[in-house]
Amino acid sequence: MLGNDLRSFLQEMKKKHPSNYLEIDKEISPLYETTAIVTKLEMQKRTPILHFNNVKDTEFPVVVNICASRTTVAAALDVDKRELPQKYRDALNNLIKPKLIEKGPVQEVVHVGDQVDILKLPQMRYHDTDGAAYISGGIVMAKDPDTGAYNCSYDRLMIKGSNKLGIYMTPGKHLSQIYEKAEQRNEPMELIIALGNHPAWCMGALFIGSYATDERHVMGGLMGSPLEVVQAQTVDLQVPARSEMVIEGEIPPFEREEEGPYGEFTGYSAGQVRRPFINVKAITHREGAIFQDICGGPHRELLLMSTIPMEPSILDFLQKNIPAVQSVRCPAPFTLFVSIKKTREGQAKQVLLTAFAADMQVKHCVVVDDDIDLTNSQAVIQAIATRAQGDRDLFIVKGVSHDELDPSRPEGKPISDKVGIDATAKPSLAIFADKPKVPAEVMERINLEDYIGKDDEKSSQKS
Ligand SMILES: Cc1cc2nc3c(=O)[nH]c(=O)nc-3n(C[C@H](O)[C@H](O)[C@H](O)COP(=O)(O)O)c2cc1C
Ligand SMILES: [Mn+2]
């Protein structure tokens, strides 16, 4: 692992991968300006870590794009980017519990009660439709009131005042399930928000899978050593000892306030709705804390943070059930491609049903044979065109519980139709229509240079 917390990781990146790490001393406003820089770089297909040393109206420097490139995340975990999915699967099969220690740097500075002031943190606004400044780069941790098992997730936090945050918990996801249990007991749900985390912790927090799995164990698995934690100051929870900053608080039961609007990963703005909110009880941080931010909306970091953990988790789940599954890819929100080495009739439909069970976010799923390269979306579309028939190979399950952020959902209902497409060759790839090819002997014999000369700029021009 590169470094053992965010700041040591950044130091190592500066030394070893300077082209992927830009430090900016010029003053920048948190009002849309960092998003403008991220957006302009994305237009050039660049996603370096950006470390803004001088952010208007706050003492805290801001880092964004910590997980915005596979190369950076792979470097953080000390693997090549091609080994990243396997590294994640290995972690899932080697979970490591956190280790409670006495003291941690995250509590070098402690603000409790009246000293709490969220308005002193960077007030990040990403897009013109955002209704307020938001904190979007924090890992929210809470525990099940029955079992004590922790859950980790990223949840957008709307700054509502010096000690109050709005929160968006997707109905059906684990944090909302814990909150429902707290409400059934008429109790507040305590939580902590860890900000400024090593990429291994970020990736672990986003594990997709069973409610019972404590994502901190996945973080341990990714690091190959336990996540160190200390006791929080004001709530009965543990906090990561080496995070840059922690916010502690609780969500009262049954109370609601307006939250939103907010530009989301779908590329659309989610509207204002009455939702639960957090009363903040403490903010603790390291000396010279770095504020980690993730650009809200459809930016590279958010997409990658979701897909890097999602693909190996779904692949692991599918292969444990159906070994014929070869690989998976999430090319866009709510969309999954799966490739299989088909061994039985109807197997692709079995894979589709299993994929819908693997994660609530899977809305459209396409299964192809393993001769199709899933990183080539054009090849998948071609397989649908040439190997599928709508009547035989497409099925729809209507009205399934789904992410309410899908702007095409029926008005006011967090449901969606699940669409499965079996785009495998029938009855099997081996006896499907012949694929024309130039005979191997001719391919070998013909030397391109003998006919068209050296591959200069003119001859390689794309049509
Ligand atoms: C940057 C980022 C922001 C996110 N914001 C939210 C959010 O506001 N609300 C939410 O429910 N999920 C959000 N998610 C998705 C969840 O964090 C993610 O699905 C997580 O794995 C859910 O945890 P669970 O499986 O334990 O329920 C976000 C993800 C990322 C990467
Ligand atoms: Mn969970």
Side-chain angles (χ1 to χ4, degrees):
M1 208 171 78
L2 211 59
N4 65 351
D5 55 15
L6 178 64
R7 57 178 69 188
S8 56
F9 163 70
L10 291 175
Q11 274 159 10
E12 294 285 321
M13 281 299 286
K14 198 170 173 171
K15 265 193 269 165
K16 296 188 177 149
H17 304 273
S19 62
N20 252 349
Y21 176 76
L22 303 180
E23 241 179 304
I24 296 135
D25 291 327
K26 186 174 163 57
E27 190 191 60
I28 191 144
S29 163
L31 187 64
Y32 312 130
E33 288 189 0
T34 60
T35 320
I37 305 268
V38 167
T39 306
K40 285 193 176 219
L41 285 167
E42 283 177 343
M43 286 159 85
Q44 300 175 359
K45 301 227 172 313
R46 294 169 67 195
T47 52
I49 293 172
L50 299 169
H51 191 150
F52 297 101
N53 280 318
N54 189 0
V55 180
K56 222 166 165 247
D57 300 327
T58 178
E59 70 180 89
F60 298 100
V62 171
V63 283
V64 64
N65 275 358
I66 294 292
C67 300
S69 115
R70 277 183 201 272
T71 309
T72 305
V73 176
L77 298 174
D78 243 350
V79 291
D80 183 81
K81 75 175 179 187
R82 285 184 302 267
E83 297 161 354
L84 199 50
Q86 191 53 46
K87 171 86 185 174
Y88 202 93
R89 292 185 74 184
D90 290 345
L92 296 184
N93 292 310
N94 294 286
L95 299 176
I96 300 177
K97 285 184 189 152
K99 184 175 147 198
L100 183 63
I101 57 174
E102 279 293 309
K103 263 172 87 98
V106 72
Q107 293 175 344
E108 281 166 353
V109 180
V110 175
H111 300 286
V112 291
D114 291 349
Q115 300 165 327
V116 168
D117 191 356
I118 302 163
L119 302 176
K120 288 199 168 137
L121 305 182
Q123 304 292 299
M124 309 306 300
R125 277 208 200 206
Y126 308 106
H127 299 101
D128 54 0
T129 55
D130 293 352
Y134 269 81
I135 298 174
S136 67
I139 300 175
V140 177
M141 300 187 182
K143 60 184 182 186
D144 181 282
D146 297 319
T147 67
Y150 276 66
N151 192 72
C152 303
S153 58
Y154 282 82
D155 300 85
R156 67 180 199 231
L157 304 163
M158 178 184 184
I159 298 180
K160 294 173 81 77
S162 62
N163 60 3
K164 196 189 267 190
L165 293 166
I167 182 167
Y168 174 60
M169 302 179 278
T170 306
K173 285 195 181 179
H174 298 161
L175 188 64
S176 77
Q177 292 180 37
I178 295 177
Y179 181 61
E180 279 167 23
K181 282 195 179 191
E183 282 196 325
Q184 280 161 16
R185 295 163 175 239
N186 200 18
E187 284 171 4
M189 177 178 77
E190 293 189 323
L191 52 75
I192 67 98
I193 301 147
L195 282 148
N197 302 307
H198 189 280
W201 313 343
C202 305
M203 291 296 128
L206 288 160
F207 161 73
I208 299 287
S210 81
Y211 179 79
T213 302
D214 180 340
E215 283 86 357
R216 301 177 310 164
H217 300 192
V218 184
M219 298 177 193
L222 283 167
M223 294 188 287
S225 62
L227 176 76
E228 289 183 340
V229 292
V230 290
Q231 196 59 40
Q233 298 284 321
T234 59
V235 291
D236 179 23
L237 287 166
Q238 298 164 353
V239 306
R242 306 191 66 82
S243 288
E244 290 293 318
M245 184 180 290
V246 160
I247 299 173
E248 303 177 5
E250 60 183 32
I251 308 187
F254 303 111
E255 291 188 52
R256 302 289 185 267
E257 277 188 10
E258 300 294 338
E259 190 275 338
Y262 181 76
E264 265 297 349
F265 69 97
T266 54
Y268 298 92
S269 192
Q272 197 177 60
V273 175
R274 289 181 70 76
R275 297 203 164 96
F277 57 86
I278 303 168
N279 290 319
V280 175
K281 298 168 81 172
I283 297 181
T284 76
H285 63 82
R286 297 176 71 151
E287 301 279 5
I290 306 167
F291 184 86
Q292 183 184 0
D293 182 40
I294 295 165
C295 214
H299 292 282
R300 184 72 190 156
E301 182 171 27
L302 216 158
L303 182 76
L304 212 59
M305 284 185 83
S306 305
T307 50
I308 291 177
M310 193 182 280
E311 289 173 351
S313 301
I314 292 180
L315 182 62
D316 204 62
F317 183 83
L318 289 178
Q319 280 185 334
K320 278 180 179 150
N321 287 285
I322 309 164
V325 169
Q326 300 299 308
S327 62
V328 303
R329 180 169 170 250
C330 309
F334 311 138
T335 308
L336 181 73
F337 296 161
V338 185
S339 73
I340 63 170
K341 222 186 242 315
K342 195 163 67 175
T343 56
R344 315 157 53 107
E345 195 182 339
Q347 196 169 43
K349 287 209 173 90
Q350 189 194 359
V351 170
L352 287 165
L353 292 171
T354 313
F356 292 132
D359 183 34
M360 181 177 85
Q361 299 266 345
V362 181
K363 172 188 175 188
H364 293 165
C365 183
V366 182
V367 179
V368 295
D369 296 294
D370 74 324
D371 63 324
I372 305 292
D373 171 9
L374 298 185
T375 63
N376 180 355
S377 299
Q378 172 71 27
V380 176
I381 295 169
Q382 175 115 352
I384 296 171
T386 56
R387 296 178 182 179
Q389 284 292 320
D391 186 42
R392 181 191 60 190
D393 299 323
L394 182 146
F395 70 83
I396 299 175
V397 184
K398 289 191 180 170
V400 186
S401 163
H402 179 58
D403 192 329
E404 65 178 359
L405 290 178
D406 179 351
S408 71
R409 77 198 183 292
E411 187 57 41
K413 292 186 180 171
I415 58 169
S416 170
D417 295 348
K418 303 274 172 173
V419 179
I421 300 178
D422 169 3
T424 59
K426 283 111 201 151
S428 74
L429 188 59
I431 52 171
F432 195 59
D434 287 338
K435 259 189 174 174
K437 55 184 181 301
V438 179
E441 173 270 317
V442 181
M443 279 301 274
E444 209 147 289
R445 179 158 51 76
I446 293 292
N447 184 3
L448 209 49
E449 274 184 29
D450 295 345
Y451 292 82
I452 64 164
K454 265 214 170 319
D455 185 20
D456 60 20
E457 220 177 287
K458 208 163 52 176
S459 58
S460 66
Q461 256 177 10
K462 295 215 167 80
S463 57

